[in-house]
C-alpha cells in the first residue's frame, strides 16, 4: 500500500502540520558571501587582465579613434576562486567631441548561475593623446560609472590616469592608477 500525504509549510516556526500531528523540521538557508574588492583587485589573474585591458586601450587609440575596454569579474564559491570574464570593448569614439567614451558590459554567464556569480566589474578610461590640446577631461569614475555600480550592487574597479585632469596631446603612457568606486565594497550576501 502506498500512502501520499500533503503538507503545508505555513507555520512561522518552520513546522509541518500533517494529519493533525506536528512534525518538527528545520529550514535550511544558504548564505553565499562574495569577496571584498580589496581581495578582487589584488588577485593575480584580475591584475593581469586589467593590465591587458589598459594596453588594449592604448594600442587601439589613434587619430580619430579610441575606446574603453573592460570585463566582469566572477566568483566561484565552491572553489573560492576569482576569475575574469571575456574582454569587452566599448564603441569606437571617432573624434574628440564629448571626451568621455563608454562601455556597456554584458555578463558572460547567466546572472544567477551559482558557480560563476558576478562579484565586480572593471573598465578603463581612454587616452586623449590624439586629441587637440584644447580638449580635456577629469579623470576618475564618471557619474554614469558610479550609478551603474550602485544599480548592480557591485564594486567597480577603474584604471585611469593619475592626474586629476588630462588634456589632448598628453602621452598615453603617462602614469595611471587603479580606483574603486560605488557604494559597495563587496557584493551583498545572497541568501537562498
Amino acid at each position: 500500500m502506498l500512502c501520499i500525504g500533503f503538507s503545508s509549510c505555513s507555520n512561522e516556526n518552520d513546522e509541518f502540520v500533517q494529519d493533525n500531528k506536528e512534525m518538527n523540521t528545520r529550514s535550511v538557508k544558504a548564505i553565499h558571501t562574495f569577496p571584498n574588492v580589496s581581495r578582487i583587485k589584488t588577485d593575480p589573474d584580475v591584475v593581469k587582465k586589467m593590465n591587458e585591458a589598459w594596453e588594449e586601450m592604448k594600442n587601439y587609440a589613434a587619430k580619430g579613434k579610441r575606446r574603453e575596454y573592460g570585463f566582469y569579474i566572477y566568483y566561484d564559491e565552491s572553489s573560492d576562486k576569482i576569475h575574469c570574464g571575456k574582454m569587452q570593448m566599448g564603441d569606437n569614439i571617432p573624434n574628440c567631441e564629448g571626451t568621455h567614451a563608454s562601455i556597456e558590459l554584458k555578463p558572460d554567464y547567466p546572472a544567477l548561475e551559482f558557480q560563476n556569480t558576478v562579484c565586480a566589474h572593471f573598465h578603463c578610461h581612454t587616452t586623449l593623446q590624439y586629441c587637440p590640446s584644447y580638449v580635456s577631461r577629469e579623470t576618475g569614475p564618471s557619474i554614469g560609472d558610479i550609478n551603474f555600480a550602485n544599480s548592480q550592487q557591485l564594486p567597480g574597479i577603474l584604471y585611469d590616469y593619475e592626474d586629476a585632469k588630462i588634456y589632448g596631446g598628453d602621452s598615453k603612457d603617462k602614469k595611471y592608477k587603479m580606483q574603486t568606486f560605488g557604494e559597495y565594497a563587496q557584493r551583498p550576501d545572497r541568501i537562498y
Side-chain angles (χ1 to χ4, degrees):
M1 176 176 192
L2 176 65
C3 293
I4 299 174
F6 293 94
S7 301
S8 170
C9 298
S10 60
N11 262 346
E12 288 184 351
N13 298 333
D14 291 331
E15 295 176 348
F16 285 82
V17 178
Q18 180 179 356
D19 300 331
N20 297 324
K21 296 180 184 175
E22 288 187 8
M23 184 168 51
N24 291 326
T25 63
R26 289 185 215 174
S27 67
V28 178
K29 293 182 181 178
I31 298 175
H32 303 293
T33 301
F34 299 95
N36 189 284
V37 72
S38 60
R39 176 180 168 203
I40 296 167
K41 71 182 185 179
T42 59
D43 180 88
D45 292 334
V46 174
V47 171
K48 180 181 177 194
K49 188 91 169 208
M50 291 188 300
N51 290 336
E52 288 172 11
W54 185 252
E55 290 304 314
E56 288 284 337
M57 178 279 294
K58 293 191 316 178
N59 291 337
Y60 181 80
K63 186 173 175 84
K65 67 177 196 165
R66 58 195 174 88
R67 66 170 31 129
E68 293 184 356
Y69 289 81
F71 52 90
Y72 274 114
I73 302 166
Y74 296 86
Y75 179 63
D76 181 346
E77 189 175 32
S78 65
S79 66
D80 192 36
K81 293 198 189 271
I82 297 169
H83 60 275
C84 302
K86 183 179 126 190
M87 183 75 71
Q88 299 179 46
M89 63 184 100
D91 292 336
N92 175 51
I93 305 302
N95 53 43
C96 295
E97 293 177 25
T99 56
H100 290 284
S102 66
I103 186 168
E104 183 180 331
L105 293 174
K106 295 175 179 61
D108 300 279
Y109 306 103
L112 297 177
E113 184 179 337
F114 172 65
Q115 294 298 321
N116 296 299
T117 307
V118 175
C119 66
H121 65 92
F122 167 82
H123 75 286
C124 58
H125 284 171
T126 67
T127 180
L128 295 180
Q129 178 173 330
Y130 303 100
C131 294
S133 60
Y134 60 82
V135 172
S136 66
R137 72 168 175 85
E138 292 181 6
T139 61
S142 68
I143 295 298
D145 294 339
I146 294 167
N147 288 342
F148 177 77
N150 293 340
S151 73
Q152 300 298 304
Q153 297 184 332
L154 296 172
I157 306 171
L158 172 72
Y159 273 12
D160 203 351
Y161 289 96
E162 196 171 72
D163 296 340
K165 194 171 201 176
I166 62 169
Y167 297 88
D170 284 353
S171 172
K172 64 183 177 184
D173 295 318
K174 287 181 80 155
K175 287 185 178 181
Y176 64 96
K177 64 182 176 181
M178 177 194 308
Q179 294 177 280
T180 58
F181 61 91
E183 294 175 14
Y184 298 87
Q186 179 177 354
R187 180 179 180 158
D189 291 347
R190 290 205 171 225
I191 300 171
Y192 296 92

